[in-house]
Amino acid sequence: MSADQQVKDIVTPMENATIATEQKAEQIVDPWNVQGAVVDGKQMSIDYDRLIESFGTRAIDEAVLQRMETLTGRKPHVLLRRGVFFSHRELNRILDRYEQKKPFYLYTGRGPSSDSMHLGHMIPFLFCQYLQDVFDCPLVIQLTDDEKFLFKPNLKLEECIRFSRQNAKDIIACGFNPEKTFIFSNFQHVGGAFYHNVVRISRCITYSQSKSTFGFVESDNVGKSHFVSIQAAPSFSNTFPAIFGDRSDIPCLIPCAIDQDPYFRLTRDVAHKLKYPKPALIHAKFFPALQGPGTKMSASVDSSAIFMTDTQAQIKNKINRHAFSGGGATMELHKEHGGKPEEDIPFQYLSFFLDDDEEIARIEKEYRAGTLSTGDLKKRCIEVLQKFVGDFQARKAAVTDAVLDHFMTPRSLGVDLSAK
Ligand code: TRP
């Protein structure tokens, strides 16, 4: 009898069921879990085509990239060219407005659950910074300190507030336009017109809709099922009177990781009921953990992540020691059979951060052929990440409390409110 069978013989039926699902599990993607399917005990990558299908979104295809390029006169951002932002809902409606010179804005957010942001957290913000730059439009950024308090029983309320301010500095260091960006903490800012929209929204969403969209159970606290109303509210322009006056007809585009889509599916249903424009969305893939492409980088697992506070030496160590390699098991095997870039974490990180299309194509080809070694690939990845994190740290050093207070003050962002 094999060791495996022996184990199976002594487990209870319930445990047995768990083992069975562990051997062959479907992929899970919701705001709290990201896990690729498990087939024959092997962790698979996330299947993004299947997500497009099951969520009912559209793929970002060549035509969208072409249109972006024609409209903005700029080469699409590296995260678009490499397919990191891979899916959307009604992006074309926003591009139409840009073409017609009608106002729109960007909305994104962050749940501040710790002091330290990592590379994966930067992705939506880097992309937003590019969008703000090419569209020259206002951007609102929601810090959901209330969400983290409700969803993470170990966090104290005061901690969530502190994380908000800390994280806001990291976000500002991505290079947003200080005249066109409003960052707010829910604890600080929800009230007045914002709260009016929160309750308008919550009256449109039933308990059973929230429960089934997010998978809540009876023992979950009631705040969780209501929280969607608070994340939905910034999708509507009259939530921000300082920016948009009483205009409720200015639509937004929401760049986010695909796991946030359930919030905005509900928001889009509600928009219809409240006669507000539906938010458009553009979705990113997850930034894989150092351990491999089947899950996302997590701030709570130190060895899975490269933090924005890591030193140059730490970055080098983490890539060399922890980054999952798609290379051959030995140098000889690698030379003979080549490597698998699609499974290789240093290659994937390079594809997110290395702007040069020719170089990345060359690296991919040579790695697959086995003429580029794992060591040399890692070396290039380390250089690129060290530069990115180093530049970020220099920008962050310039973000003083006064700068932070400016970004977090409700104010006009210069929108022409007479433009229809
Ligand atoms: N819920 C998100 C998180 O936990 C934070 C968030 C709020 C957000 N509003 C958003 C993310 C809009 C993307 C877009 O990180």
Side-chain angles (χ1 to χ4, degrees):
M1 203 192 289
S2 76
D4 259 349
Q5 281 168 320
Q6 267 176 12
V7 170
K8 275 187 192 146
D9 283 344
I10 53 167
V11 295
T12 64
M14 267 308 287
E15 285 164 333
N16 217 341
T18 319
I19 288 176
T21 49
E22 268 168 18
Q23 305 260 306
K24 191 174 187 320
E26 294 284 319
Q27 68 177 359
I28 308 173
V29 174
D30 63 39
W32 305 280
N33 305 285
V34 174
Q35 195 77 57
V38 177
V39 179
D40 294 334
K42 186 170 183 258
Q43 176 71 67
M44 297 295 171
S45 304
I46 308 286
D47 182 342
Y48 288 104
D49 292 335
R50 262 197 47 210
L51 275 185
I52 289 184
E53 218 170 275
S54 60
F55 283 11
T57 66
R58 291 286 161 84
I60 297 211
D61 54 17
E62 223 6 77
V64 178
L65 293 187
Q66 268 299 331
R67 187 165 186 222
M68 289 278 294
E69 179 155 3
T70 314
L71 280 178
T72 64
R74 291 243 307 250
K75 190 158 121 178
H77 193 268
V78 58
L79 293 170
L80 272 172
R81 301 200 308 277
R82 304 282 159 75
V84 177
F85 278 83
F86 72 108
S87 151
H88 72 99
R89 293 183 188 273
E90 292 192 303
L91 175 62
N92 276 311
R93 254 192 35 234
I94 294 292
L95 298 180
D96 291 345
R97 286 185 74 91
Y98 179 71
E99 197 166 23
Q100 297 155 3
K101 303 198 167 22
K102 291 180 176 167
F104 62 90
Y105 66 104
L106 301 169
Y107 160 38
T108 194
R110 148 124 191 110
S113 54
S114 78
D115 262 329
S116 34
M117 287 178 71
H118 60 58
L119 277 180
H121 294 138
M122 291 294 123
I123 300 298
F125 294 108
L126 293 174
F127 189 64
C128 262
Q129 194 275 329
Y130 149 83
L131 290 176
Q132 180 180 52
D133 198 30
V134 295
F135 293 142
D136 193 28
C137 63
L139 161 67
V140 297
I141 300 176
Q142 178 177 51
L143 300 170
T144 54
D145 35 18
D146 52 348
E147 174 191 20
K148 293 302 145 184
F149 180 71
L150 288 167
F151 284 83
K152 303 228 163 196
N154 294 332
L155 289 182
K156 296 200 177 66
L157 194 135
E158 293 72 17
E159 282 175 315
C160 300
I161 295 177
R162 189 165 53 83
F163 295 156
S164 265
R165 272 185 82 81
Q166 286 306 327
N167 288 186
K169 288 189 173 174
D170 284 338
I171 292 168
I172 292 168
C174 291
F176 294 109
N177 180 343
E179 302 317 315
K180 297 203 173 186
T181 308
F182 175 45
I183 306 180
F184 61 95
S185 121
N186 282 345
F187 278 139
Q188 212 174 49
H189 186 68
V190 174
F194 196 122
Y195 191 60
H196 299 170
N197 265 345
V198 168
V199 295
R200 283 186 186 113
I201 294 162
S202 68
R203 198 165 73 172
C204 296
I205 300 174
T206 65
Y207 172 56
S208 85
Q209 273 175 318
S210 182
K211 193 174 154 195
S212 65
T213 303
F214 300 106
F216 297 136
V217 294
E218 297 295 310
S219 59
D220 275 316
N221 70 58
V222 292
K224 289 187 183 184
S225 41
H226 174 256
F227 176 73
V228 55
S229 318
I230 304 168
Q231 180 152 331
S235 313
F236 306 130
S237 56
N238 60 347
T239 292
F240 303 103
I243 305 172
F244 300 111
D246 60 1
R247 291 276 300 264
S248 61
D249 61 339
I250 301 178
C252 72
L253 169 63
I254 307 176
C256 61
I258 186 77
D259 63 332
Q260 297 296 304
D261 188 69
Y263 282 113
F264 300 115
R265 252 179 276 156
L266 278 183
T267 307
R268 284 166 56 87
D269 289 347
V270 169
H272 178 75
K273 293 182 195 157
L274 293 176
K275 302 193 169 52
Y276 292 151
K278 288 184 179 183
L281 288 130
I282 180 161
H283 303 110
K285 296 179 181 173
F286 306 109
F287 195 74
L290 283 161
Q291 283 70 23
T295 185
K296 65 171 180 175
M297 200 172 253
S298 162
S300 45
V301 185
D302 189 62
S303 66
S304 83
I306 291 177
F307 292 98
M308 300 314 291
T309 46
D310 280 351
T311 62
Q312 303 276 304
Q314 279 172 317
I315 295 172
K316 181 172 171 190
N317 257 321
K318 284 184 180 176
I319 294 294
N320 280 335
R321 281 220 210 126
H322 300 296
F324 183 85
S325 169
T330 63
M331 203 113 84
E332 289 70 38
L333 285 172
H334 185 73
K335 279 190 182 142
E336 199 181 326
H337 302 292
K340 292 185 182 142
E342 61 283 355
E343 289 182 7
D344 193 279
I345 288 298
F347 178 78
Q348 301 217 351
Y349 290 1
L350 273 177
S351 76
F352 281 66
F353 285 99
L354 180 64
D355 196 59
D356 186 333
D357 290 336
E358 275 170 31
E359 188 183 349
I360 195 84
R362 193 178 67 236
I363 290 175
E364 178 167 8
K365 193 164 149 246
E366 292 179 359
Y367 196 60
R368 211 179 280 290
T371 50
L372 177 70
S373 72
T374 301
D376 285 341
L377 175 66
K378 284 192 168 177
K379 188 160 161 272
R380 186 68 182 119
C381 174
I382 291 166
E383 277 168 12
V384 168
L385 295 186
Q386 283 178 333
K387 166 131 184 35
F388 176 77
V389 174
D391 290 351
F392 173 89
Q393 289 172 354
R395 288 193 304 269
K396 186 169 170 193
V399 183
T400 59
D401 278 311
V403 170
L404 178 63
D405 289 337
H406 174 75
F407 274 94
M408 296 189 76
T409 303
R411 64 206 191 279
S412 158
L413 300 183
V415 183
D416 175 5
L417 294 176
S418 64
K420 284 289 159 191

